Amino acid sequence: MFKRLHISKWLGGLFAPIEKNDAFFVFMFVLGYLCTQLEIMPYYLRDRGAKPYELSVPELFLDIYIVCVLLTLIPRRIRIFVKALLYVLFYGVAMVDMYCYERFESTLTPTMLMLVSETTPQEAGEFLAGYLNWEVIKSQVGWVLLLIMIHILWTALRCWLGDFRQKMILPKVNPAVITGFKAFFSLVVAYLLCVCVSQTWDNKVAMHRMFTYDTVGQVEHELTRKDQANLYVPIYRLAFSIYANHLASHQLVQLEAASEKIQIDSCSYRVPNIVLVIGESYNKYHSQLYGYNKPTTPFQKEMAEQGSLVPFTDVVAPWNLTSFVFKHVLSLHAIGDSGEWCDAPLFPEVFRKAGYHVTFITNQFQSKAKEAVYDFSGGFFLNNPEMSQRQFDTRNTSLYQFDDGVLKAYDQLKTKDEHNLVILHLMGSHVEYRARYPQPARRFFTPQNANRPELSVKQRYILSDYDNSVRYNDSIMNAITQRFIDKDAVVIYMPDHGEEIFDGSPFMYGRMHGANIDYRLARNEMEIPFWIWGSPQYIENHPYGWQAIQQAKDRPMMTDVLPHLLLYLGGISTPAYRPEYNVIAPEYDTRRTRILKGTTDYNTLKKK
């Protein structure tokens, strides 16, 4: 009998964490369940049949049970205060998360946390006064508030019942019966724990993997995996936002250290006006300039035939992620050098210290509340107030529906400085393609003239939209060159990376983010158009420079070394300049390996 009681008590220990923290377990479970059911991510899919996280119930049970176990290990007197702090934390974060979901169409993000850290108390007060109103309470935030009220009422009622029970004389219950019930419930808990662990193990492994990276770029790449972690409750999203900002701040410190080492020996301002245009998701083989059988780039083709535009034939991007490309293109660190991209200066700051007026107009990297981690990763070092001030004299503060907004912003912001570096960052052909050009005014291609019978009707619509976006981009590039037609200027165009657009079987569009890189992926997503346009004044004033550009058009190049070409064009003498990385210099290393995604040599891949 004694042994049976001993075993029953031991089994009852599995139920003890819930028994001792019953209200905490129930209300936190309901809170988590509310958030998983009301916040469908991404937000815009909630009206398209998107479903809540399917493992929310077992994962909530497991997570809250673990918290209850930890609480049980704390002495009761202290446990009361710890639970009170957890209530404030969990309810508070849930309310903020739900509010962000309603107000900004996004749950908590690293950018939101970054913006909060840069907000003054006055700005915070004005924000709360403007946006906390009855409409917010009537929204889904009200469900969290309702749960808080029920919790408060339950706590008050429980205290009253506790006092009432002390005054009552209750019949005695056999301890063995109570122990038996606890043993039964413990068996149920044991079974549920086994089920929950088996069902949610993969997500826990993915979460652990994500929170062990050293850079925000690695975290971003993790989120391209199909088995990425699901941060299904607000507290996890807050933890991730804090973690991402911590990683970003570490790289900002490295950039600041690199900035202090910039040395400018002299500057001849070889080319007074240098324009770098960075496009988006541009498949080289959908450019008429590179042999596509549709008129997607009539302006570029005409300029090439006239001799003012030189298309380079063998250029690749180091990554198929915008943020990774931006970091490597802006940094004087080249892939293969020791250290990280943030251990070297960014070329806009070098130009600014050399005396160029640096303008940056972007249609992607503006800090906004619902910014995804991809944009946060690519823009944190551009949007940091101190780093932005170091790099740019002039920059825009808004995003635009179409890329002609970039032209209008340039016209409004341009200065009369004698020496200018202008960086224009377009939305280009970013998905969704149909949103990248004005309709119906700029709809030139249609599914009916796609000439791709092997594609479905839906695929032909997507293909037509993509080609229309490329043609619209061509008109933007023509407008940019026209703004410098009467200046001594060069315009360099490169997209960040390419895009899959039904150019191989199985047919697909977008980008593949698997670990393995074959030639199909490299061809569509890494090979990119790259060209240099020279104004009439530039061609006349720099005949040897223009000749060097023409002679270099077939040289193999990866865009991580672009800054060294720019430094040469600017006539900037600095120890950071390396002629073997300058594609138009006689010393250029044509045998340099071109490593894609940090793993695969493109030169070897192409030969195979």
Side-chain angles (χ1 to χ4, degrees), residues 595-606:
I595 303 298
L596 308 181
K597 297 182 71 172
T599 61
T600 306
D601 180 8
Y602 170 78
N603 297 336
T604 302
L605 191 67
K606 188 175 182 180

Side-chain angles (χ1 to χ4, degrees), residues 9-78:
K9 287 183 178 180
W10 182 82
L11 286 173
L14 288 174
F15 180 65
I18 297 177
E19 179 189 13
K20 294 179 180 181
N21 305 281
D22 51 357
F24 179 89
F25 184 91
V26 171
F27 281 102
M28 292 303 95
F29 185 93
V30 174
L31 176 65
Y33 187 75
L34 273 176
C35 292
T36 60
Q37 301 305 301
L38 297 178
E39 297 176 314
I40 307 297
M41 296 304 298
Y43 182 96
Y44 61 84
L45 292 179
R46 66 180 184 178
D47 295 326
R48 303 185 191 177
K51 298 179 180 179
Y53 177 49
E54 59 183 5
L55 297 177
S56 59
V57 170
E59 194 147 5
L60 273 170
F61 182 90
L62 177 63
D63 287 351
I64 299 174
Y65 182 83
I66 291 173
V67 175
C68 289
V69 169
L70 297 176
L71 288 172
T72 305
L73 300 176
I74 301 173
R76 187 175 183 279
R77 290 182 179 181
I78 302 176

Side-chain angles (χ1 to χ4, degrees), residues 41 46 60 76 179 264 301 347 349 354 373 408 498 589:
M41 296 304 298
R46 66 180 184 178
L60 273 170
R76 187 175 183 279
T179 302
I264 307 296
K301 184 178 180 182
F347 78 79
E349 185 175 359
V373 69
K408 296 173 183 176
D589 182 9

Side-chain angles (χ1 to χ4, degrees), residues 316-319 335 514-519 521-522 526 558 593-606 608:
V316 296
W319 283 83
I335 293 175
N516 296 324
I517 304 176
D518 56 16
Y519 183 65
L521 186 146
M526 308 293 196
M558 190 161 68
T593 57
R594 292 182 283 177
I595 303 298
L596 308 181
K597 297 182 71 172
T599 61
T600 306
D601 180 8
Y602 170 78
N603 297 336
T604 302
L605 191 67
K606 188 175 182 180
K608 290 182 180 180

Side-chain angles (χ1 to χ4, degrees), residues 24-25 27-29 31-32 35 60 63-68 70-71 82-98 108 144 147-148 151 233-236 238-239:
F24 179 89
F25 184 91
F27 281 102
M28 292 303 95
F29 185 93
L31 176 65
C35 292
L60 273 170
D63 287 351
I64 299 174
Y65 182 83
I66 291 173
V67 175
C68 289
L70 297 176
L71 288 172
V82 174
K83 283 198 286 189
L85 290 175
L86 289 178
Y87 284 141
V88 172
L89 176 64
F90 292 161
Y91 277 126
V93 174
M95 286 184 63
V96 171
D97 193 67
M98 194 72 74
L108 281 170
V144 180
L147 182 62
I148 293 173
H151 194 165
V233 285
I235 195 65
Y236 284 148
L238 174 64

